[in-house]
Amino acid sequence: MFRPKIPAMPQPTGFVTPPAVIQHTPAAPAPMAPAPDPARPTVQLTPGTVLALVGGGTAVVLVVGAVLVSMLLAVAIAGASVAICALVIRSLINADAKRH
């Protein structure tokens, strides 16, 4: 059941030709063509664009950090409120058990 099945290799039918022998003959080096001009112009970074990029990146990092910190704070507040509720309920159950 778990033995691999090895496929049987069929024998070639018809005419079998031996591989062709290709001999490499050194040719004269082709003349180097000048590189074509790029299709799009290169981007020139001026001090104003660099400042805008740095400012935009800083703003993105600050916004993402604020969102992550607020989510962490929300989880911490929810956990603390659940813990306080558990303490209050346990206190009420223990007080009710001591009275009877």
Side-chain angles (χ1 to χ4, degrees), residues 1-82:
M1 179 173 158
F2 292 109
R3 291 185 182 173
K5 297 196 179 190
I6 301 172
M9 295 295 290
Q11 295 297 323
T13 58
F15 295 108
V16 178
T17 58
V21 177
I22 300 174
Q23 292 186 1
H24 179 67
T25 57
M32 295 294 289
D37 291 334
R40 54 184 178 177
T42 57
V43 177
Q44 298 291 330
L45 290 178
T46 62
T49 56
V50 170
L51 228 99
L53 286 174
V54 169
T58 304
V60 167
V61 167
L62 289 177
V63 168
V64 170
V67 168
L68 291 177
V69 167
S70 64
M71 288 172 61
L72 182 65
L73 186 62
V75 168
I77 290 173
S81 65
V82 168

